[in-house]
């Protein structure tokens, strides 16, 4: 468990996408808890750091892909936490609407199944989820993809990767709408955040 700021942490033992922990004093959130097979590893990591998985009040999901959400339903059952997910992605998980008609989405949809967690709070467009935490609709990767901003920390999921020179686009074949993805990336880059936390590259600090 690596501390990034006073109240944000990187949980390095998650399996799948990078997982983050946010503690604002009144609410504790886990962001993209990863694959189900890593759930107990993350729980042990938290306990080793003097924290408990049962502190979690909110589960923030950037999008529906299994490497980000596979453990979410079990986390929710164990903790009773609220689960936040974009309404468009929730509709895909319930089968109400089909996934985007791309080769990548059709393939992953055929070989994986993600359980929609309980106590789901749907996110519509941009929204303030609670004081200080904003969801930004960034639908290039999946229709309901959201990035989250908390203070000077930006959690961008699979909108892009980051290095010392800035945000970089994901490979176009995994994007549902590559052109929208580039627009999302430009929008996030303009946020001027101190920290950028991605799903598939290590957190980067740009200023302090």
């Amino acid at each position: 468990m690596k501390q990034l700021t006073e109240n944000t942490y990187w949980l390095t033992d998650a399996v799948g996408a990078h997982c983050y922990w946010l503690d604002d004093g009144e609410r504790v959130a886990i962001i993209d808890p990863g694959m189900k097979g890593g759930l107990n590893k993350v729980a042990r990591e938290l306990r080793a750091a003097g924290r408990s998985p049962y502190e979690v009040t909110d589960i923030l999901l950037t999008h529906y892909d299994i490497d980000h959400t596979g453990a979410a339903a079990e986390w929710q059952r164990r903790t009773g936490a609220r689960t936040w997910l974009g309404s468009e992605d929730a509709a895909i998980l319930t089968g109400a609407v089909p996934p985007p008609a791309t080769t990548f989405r059709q393939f992953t949809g055929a070989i994986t199944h993600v359980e929609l967690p309980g106590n789901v709070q749907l996110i519509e467009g941009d929204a303030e989820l609670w004081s200080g935490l904003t969801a930004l609709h960034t639908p290039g990767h999946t229709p309901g993809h959201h990035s989250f901003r908390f203070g000077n920390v930006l959690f961008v999921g699979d909108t892009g990767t980051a290095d010392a020179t800035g945000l970089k686009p994901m490979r176009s074949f995994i994007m549902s709408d590559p052109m929208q993805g580039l627009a999302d990336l430009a929008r996030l880059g303009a946020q001027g955040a101190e920290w950028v936390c991605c799903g598939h590259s290590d957190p980067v600090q740009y200023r302090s």
Side-chain angles (χ1 to χ4, degrees):
M1 186 175 185
K2 295 185 178 181
Q3 186 168 7
L4 305 179
T5 72
E6 181 181 0
N7 44 25
T8 57
Y9 303 80
W10 175 23
L11 299 179
T12 59
D13 286 350
V15 175
H18 286 352
C19 174
Y20 301 97
W21 178 270
L22 185 160
D23 183 351
D24 76 353
E26 295 184 2
R27 300 173 84 153
V28 175
I30 190 166
I31 304 172
D32 287 350
M35 302 285 284
K36 191 172 182 179
L39 188 153
N40 290 331
K41 291 181 66 176
V42 172
R44 288 193 293 270
E45 180 182 6
L46 288 170
R47 292 190 178 101
R51 306 300 297 259
S52 167
Y54 294 99
E55 295 178 50
V56 171
T57 61
D58 296 86
I59 300 167
L60 303 175
L61 302 177
T62 57
H63 63 292
Y64 74 88
D65 285 344
I66 196 169
D67 57 332
H68 292 251
T69 64
E74 186 59 28
W75 269 96
Q76 196 283 323
R77 278 191 287 271
R78 295 186 186 189
T79 63
R82 288 170 290 259
T83 306
W84 299 87
L85 178 64
S87 59
E88 297 91 343
D89 279 16
I92 292 171
L93 290 186
T94 63
V97 299
T102 66
T103 301
F104 177 76
R105 288 284 153 210
Q106 297 300 316
F107 174 72
T108 56
I111 65 171
T112 63
H113 172 70
V114 177
E115 180 183 357
L116 183 67
N119 197 10
V120 172
Q121 314 296 305
L122 299 179
I123 310 172
E124 303 278 357
D126 292 354
E128 185 177 52
L129 305 189
W130 61 82
S131 180
L133 178 69
T134 302
L136 303 170
H137 192 203
T138 45
H141 185 65
T142 64
H145 190 292
H146 282 78
S147 301
F148 301 104
R149 178 156 191 169
F150 182 74
N152 279 325
V153 184
L154 197 59
F155 303 93
V156 306
D158 281 1
T159 300
T161 60
D163 62 20
T165 63
L167 283 161
K168 309 295 181 184
M170 302 289 279
R171 294 181 179 179
S172 60
F173 78 91
I174 70 168
M175 303 298 283
S176 298
D177 184 339
M179 293 304 294
Q180 178 62 51
L182 294 176
D184 294 340
L185 206 63
R187 181 188 185 201
L188 294 178
Q191 291 283 317
E194 175 184 343
W195 280 92
V196 173
C197 300
C198 300
H200 296 285
S201 63
D202 291 354
V204 178
Q205 185 178 23
Y206 289 110
R207 57 186 180 82
S208 59

